[in-house]
Amino acid sequence: MRNRFTSSYIDGPIGSTMLRTACSMLAGTLAISGYNIADTWFVSSLGTDQLAAMGFTFPVIMLIGCVYRGLCVGVMTPTAHSLGGGRRPEAARLVTSGLMLMMLASLAIGTAGALTIEPTFRLCGAGSNVMTYIVQYMLIWYFGSFTGTLGMAGNDLLIAAGDSFTASMLMLFGLGLNVLLDPLFIFGWCGFPVMGIAGAALATVISQAVCGIVALRLLYSRHRLIASPRIPRDTLGKAWKTIIRFAVPATLGMLLMPIGSAVITRIVASFGDAAVAATAAASRLEVVAFIFPMALGIALMPMVAQNYGARRFDRINQCRRFAMRFAGGFLLTMAVIYFFAAPYVVGWFSKDPEVQRIMILYLRIVSFGFAAVEIHRFSGFFFTGCGRPAAAAFLNALRVVVFLVPFSLLALWAGSLVLVFWARLAADLLAGGIACYAARRMTRNLPEEPFGKPQETPAEFQAEAVNESAEL
């Protein structure tokens, strides 16, 4: 049985549905990065040591976030398959089982992380002057990380159910609540106790908890995607096996990104502090070009997965053509803008002439690979949405391990920073081209009956609807 949210993915016009969803997700996409910006801005008022402590926490939080995001993909994709196929009770059992698994994983990771804060961050290079602040922040973050997991999963599942606007507004509301709570807890406004850096962690945990509870309530009342937690053991085991099948490749693929970035940063550091500062600033500016394509991509995978579950392979191919053409046209336009605007915008980030010179080189070279980067990312979504998560992970490994790191090492061996930027461009173009070809070939050769059973008749659909109503 499908509702009005699901039917927009299955029956609505491809282009307008994707663009409408992207526009509705734009605010949420901006809010994702807003949490860190808000916390960093408030904590910077406490002092240099507290700000440095925040800097040390980001890589660890990002790596753990990759695990949680992978679990979200593991729940969202098979859920979208079931929704697309009209099997809502099955989707509800998957969601409930997935939330139980994510709770257990977050509690295990939180406990292990809290017990190993000092050795972990000493390995990261944190000194005794900032360790106290790191412990204050991470203790709250670790034990409250399950709230972030629930919020992340709730938003992803709302998007999978076709309710992207609500998910985006929840993300924006969470950011607003976080900004409101930060000064109350950090500085002790309005009679609250002064908590310092620990207050930033508590504000994040509370805002994520509120959003998670609202999202789960909507999944239960509006979308009927929360089932009874009394799930038979064999059914729970099968659901977890399905979720892990998608979650593990997704997690590995996501972990490759920060690892690859760390290797490239180490290579760039060989050319001096100015090179590190310039590439770091330019990479922040680079993100601006991807804001709208990222919003488009957020709903792309559940849309593909729902159509895969509905056996609408014609629509999957239409989605692929529209998404690839949009990414190519939009980001090639952004590349031209960056090429000509680079000399005028670098002054916003640094007054150092050497830093400005390197930033201009970076933006004028790397930007012409933006389209290939997004096409590569979209291709992974098509493989995951069509039940091939290992292929998506392989594409990520191809870009980082086979192309980006070896090409950058060759540039280092040649002793040229400019060649490092050309190496990035070459890696992006090669990986994007291969991924686009692979996704095109895969979607055009999808099997007619991916689930190994004939198309259900209207009578079978009616019987399933009666059974679903009785169960709900």
Side-chain angles (χ1 to χ4, degrees), residues 265 268 273-286 349 358-359 362:
T265 301
V268 170
D273 292 341
V276 175
T279 53
S283 64
R284 301 298 186 277
L285 188 58
E286 173 185 344
F349 295 87
I358 296 172
M359 284 185 68
Y362 180 100

Side-chain angles (χ1 to χ4, degrees), residues 429-452:
L429 293 176
L430 284 170
I434 293 172
C436 185
Y437 169 77
R440 178 176 180 271
R441 182 174 180 181
M442 182 272 296
T443 56
R444 294 184 67 177
N445 291 284
L446 285 171
E448 293 184 1
E449 300 295 344
F451 295 99

